[in-house]
Amino acid sequence: MTEMVTVKGLNKVYESTGRRVEAIGDITFAVARGEFACIVGPSGAGKTTLLKCLAGLLAPTAGEVRIDGTPVTGPPPGMAVVFQEYGRSLFPWKTVRQNIDLPLRQKKLPRDRREKLVTESLAAVGLADAGDSYSWQLSGGMQQRVAIARAIAYEPQVLLMDEPFAAVDAQTRADLEDLVRSLWRSLGITTLFVTHDIDEAVYLGERVLVLSASPTHVLDDVRIGLPADRDQVTSRSTPEFAALRARVHRGIQDAKAGRRGTGAAA
Amino acid sequence: MTALDTAPPGQAPPVTTPRPRGRRPRVAPFVGIAVAALIAEIVPRTGVIADGVLPPLSSVVAELVSEAGEATLWQALGRTLRTWAIGLTAAVVAGVAAGLLIGLVPVLRAVTASTVEFLRPIPSVALIPAVILIFGTDFESGVVLIVYAGFWQVLVQVLYGIQDVDPVTYDTARSYRFGLRARVLHVVWPTTLPFVFTGIRLAASVALVLAITGELVIGTPGIGQLISVAQSSGATTRMFALVLLTGLLGTLVNVGFRYAERAALGWHPSVRRSENAR
Ligand SMILES: Nc1ncnc2c1ncn2[C@@H]1O[C@H](COP(=O)(O)OP(=O)(O)OP(=O)(O)O)[C@@H](O)[C@H]1O
Ligand SMILES: [Mg+2]
């Protein structure tokens, strides 16, 4: 398997007048092409910062990020990001359809192809009827789904998602989890998924990276050996699931307690 | 931005129901006008202020009505409005262009900050002598004054607008690899638009003041010049009739631009934001 996302010795320090925050201490990991990796870590661990460095929106202070072998110097092609502040990431002066369409226009796709992608992605997130609304006329959870629809319509090779299901109810959340997994399985999009929810991380990922509190490093790298066919009820009630969940949970507890982990890359 | 009428957001889409306009009869503004008119009618008659010089409102209005039948007034009005419109248009175009350029190029912003802060507060009227020296006493002088004053109003608003661009929205556009043109067109400009409108509205009022000031002081043909002539020839009632006209003009300009702003930005999030301020 080739590496799609490579992070080597990444360090990020925010510096503003009189304040210096080392958001990321030293992170090294790689995600293979087509892999689904979840990233968990305590609040303020630098997860968003990490994603922004991967997305070419922030320059690392030290270290290196490569996407598909190419060093990242700006937003790389073929990447879609679902931001944590989904509401602010939608263009309020555009309708839902236009929001999804606009990135496709930048890719210079023909009109009928764009229309098809917009319609399909809206249907996929269950918002087929909301296309002509403005984002501010939608609920928080609906806005989040629009942001997700925009990302999948873009047909990215790499998909970065920053706590994308934080604002939706349990049922919608389960549906979206299954949607993201089925998209991943059918399209083979390399996916990095940041979440606070350990269950979600274990259920979704083929791998879970546990980050320490800042200055951040990788505490644990757990391979999720569950079968590819997952089901909200049965998968979550298996002993394997419970064991994996417990392991990730311990990792997070260690992170909160400030213990430095093995930093091992499995 | 003031609160304007828009549909309450947060409802399930699609929102198409026309919103009912306030049907409440608005009496207060008319009471104010009536009281002011009454004072303007009574005080001159008592002779308390400048005995005999101040004509009562009724005769001023009568004079204005009779003036309206004369070509001179309309010609002067046309000239004043021409100066105003040309100056305002140039100021807005220059202010928007310069504002976008300065606002989008951090280096330019840093370099120009002190210059802007120094040049902006210079009152345009202080430049009248210099303007006469350079441009003479034709209407171009008035235009130059208006461009100078209006330019800063618009420029500063555009800069505020660009600062208001949401970093998350901007990052989104960047991550989807919007080019510079697309980022300006789809992110920066829509955010800046309400600020541009404010700038235009402010500039329009200032431009009217300067159009008339220019005519008064420089003597360029227009309403301002008519006022000055009426004053020096002792036609006090006529003078006040013209003053009343400038007042009406100013009100018209302000109301007109507010209406245009409302019509153009009813859909805009800034309008919405001010409506359900958290
Ligand atoms: N623009 C910034 N300037 C200065 N410091 C910042 C900036 N953005 C983030 N930080 C700091 O960097 C650290 C990591 O922030 P980050 O947003 O990456 O955390 P996170 O893991 O995404 O947290 P959460 O789970 O709450 O979203 C925090 O201490 C935060 O205060
Ligand atoms: Mg975050």
Side-chain angles (χ1 to χ4, degrees):
Chain A
M1 273 197 289
T2 52
E3 287 180 0
M4 192 65 180
V5 178
T6 315
V7 179
K8 263 200 201 111
L10 182 72
N11 170 266
K12 177 68 193 178
V13 178
Y14 286 109
E15 247 169 314
S16 52
T17 40
R19 227 174 71 97
R20 188 177 177 280
V21 180
E22 186 170 20
I24 295 179
D26 184 352
I27 292 186
T28 300
F29 68 88
V31 178
R33 182 185 300 278
E35 198 172 19
F36 195 135
C38 290
I39 298 172
V40 294
S43 183
K47 303 181 294 293
T48 299
T49 306
L50 171 64
L51 284 202
K52 280 188 180 166
C53 289
L54 294 178
L57 297 169
L58 264 185
T61 308
E64 185 183 43
V65 176
R66 284 170 184 270
I67 300 291
D68 205 8
T70 315
V72 169
T73 51
M79 176 184 281
V81 185
V82 176
F83 288 88
Q84 191 170 7
E85 302 97 335
Y86 53 91
R88 285 161 59 198
S89 107
L90 298 173
F91 306 116
W93 35 83
K94 300 274 182 204
T95 64
V96 165
R97 284 193 78 90
Q98 289 170 334
N99 261 286
I100 302 172
D101 186 49
L102 215 48
L104 307 182
R105 280 171 181 266
Q106 310 308 314
K107 287 216 294 191
K108 306 228 170 0
L109 295 181
R111 188 195 167 89
D112 45 345
R113 174 95 186 116
R114 293 196 328 252
E115 300 234 318
K116 187 167 173 285
L117 285 169
V118 173
T119 306
E120 284 176 0
S121 65
L122 274 176
V125 297
L127 286 177
D129 296 331
D132 295 324
S133 310
Y134 287 92
S135 58
W136 44 269
Q137 295 172 322
L138 306 178
S139 70
M142 289 162 100
Q143 291 176 16
Q144 203 153 27
R145 283 186 275 159
V146 174
I148 294 167
R150 180 168 64 183
I152 58 181
Y154 195 66
E155 300 183 300
Q157 284 182 285
V158 181
L159 178 58
L160 308 182
M161 303 178 104
D162 198 352
E163 301 184 31
F165 304 153
V168 296
D169 62 279
Q171 184 52 51
T172 312
R173 187 177 187 132
D175 291 347
L176 287 174
E177 284 169 359
D178 290 334
L179 169 73
V180 167
R181 254 198 85 80
S182 73
L183 278 168
W184 167 75
R185 287 191 71 190
S186 58
L187 304 174
I189 305 170
T190 310
T191 307
L192 267 76
F193 189 103
V194 168
T195 177
H196 270 140
D197 187 329
I198 300 166
D199 276 51
E200 182 170 79
V202 174
Y203 179 71
L204 284 177
E206 304 297 292
R207 219 173 127 193
V208 175
L209 292 161
V210 181
L211 299 186
S212 72
S214 95
T216 314
H217 60 276
V218 179
L219 267 187
D220 204 354
D221 185 346
V222 184
R223 210 147 271 291
I224 305 296
L226 298 173
D229 251 327
R230 294 183 195 176
D231 176 89
Q232 289 285 356
V233 181
T234 50
S235 296
R236 284 179 193 263
S237 50
T238 58
E240 292 92 330
F241 191 93
L244 287 163
R245 188 186 177 288
R247 173 159 174 205
V248 175
H249 193 76
R250 264 198 309 277
I252 301 242
Q253 292 304 90
D254 287 351
K256 280 210 183 116
R259 255 165 301 193
R260 290 191 72 88
T262 48
Chain B
M1 243 94 313
T2 50
L4 305 177
D5 292 351
T6 38
Q11 240 117 74
V15 179
T16 44
T17 28
R19 46 205 122 89
R21 292 237 165 224
R23 282 269 166 269
R24 206 155 35 92
R26 310 212 302 146
V27 203
F30 297 103
V31 173
I33 292 173
V35 170
L38 211 64
I39 292 171
E41 184 63 32
I42 292 167
V43 168
R45 290 185 190 280
T46 60
V48 177
I49 302 168
D51 194 23
V53 177
L54 228 51
L57 182 65
S58 54
S59 56
V60 171
V61 171
E63 172 72 16
L64 185 58
V65 169
S66 85
E67 291 272 336
E70 286 172 36
T72 4
L73 183 81
W74 292 105
Q75 250 169 28
L77 188 61
R79 288 201 160 106
T80 302
L81 287 180
R82 181 181 63 169
T83 311
W84 173 80
I86 295 175
L88 181 62
T89 309
V92 169
V93 170
V96 168
L100 285 178
L101 191 68
I102 293 172
L104 289 174
V105 185
V107 182
L108 278 182
R109 195 180 183 116
V111 169
T112 54
S114 53
T115 323
V116 170
E117 284 319 308
F118 175 72
L119 292 177
R120 189 160 71 106
I122 297 179
S124 264
V125 268
L127 295 174
I128 290 179
V131 168
I132 295 176
L133 268 181
I134 303 169
F135 298 94
T137 55
D138 278 338
F139 85 101
E140 286 92 339
S141 290
V143 170
V144 169
L145 289 178
I146 291 170
V147 173
Y148 184 85
F151 174 77
W152 300 116
Q153 301 279 4
V154 178
L155 175 78
V156 168
Q157 289 299 323
V158 172
L159 291 180
Y160 284 153
I162 292 177
Q163 267 187 333
D164 206 47
V165 170
D166 192 311
V168 178
T169 317
Y170 198 74
D171 270 355
T172 304
R174 283 218 296 150
S175 74
Y176 284 114
R177 294 165 64 86
F178 284 35
L180 179 66
R181 207 186 82 92
R183 287 204 300 261
V184 172
L185 198 64
H186 298 302
V187 181
V188 176
W189 182 246
T191 310
T192 312
L193 198 56
F195 292 85
V196 172
F197 268 101
T198 305
I200 294 177
R201 194 156 38 75
L202 296 174
S205 301
V206 170
L208 192 64
V209 171
L210 285 171
I212 288 164
T213 309
E215 291 159 1
L216 264 172
V217 178
I218 306 173
T220 323
I223 298 286
Q225 189 215 27
L226 287 190
I227 291 175
S228 148
V229 168
Q231 188 247 358
S232 55
S233 63
T236 323
T237 312
R238 188 174 143 81
M239 182 184 84
F240 278 108
L242 292 165
V243 170
L244 186 61
L245 177 64
T246 59
L248 292 175
L249 213 55
T251 310
L252 215 63
V253 163
N254 212 343
V255 169
F257 276 100
R258 262 186 202 285
Y259 184 80
E261 191 175 337
R262 197 178 291 217
L265 294 179
W267 51 275
H268 200 282
S270 74
V271 171
R272 191 169 40 78
R273 231 180 269 144
S274 65
E275 274 229 325
N276 13 327
R278 267 156 290 182

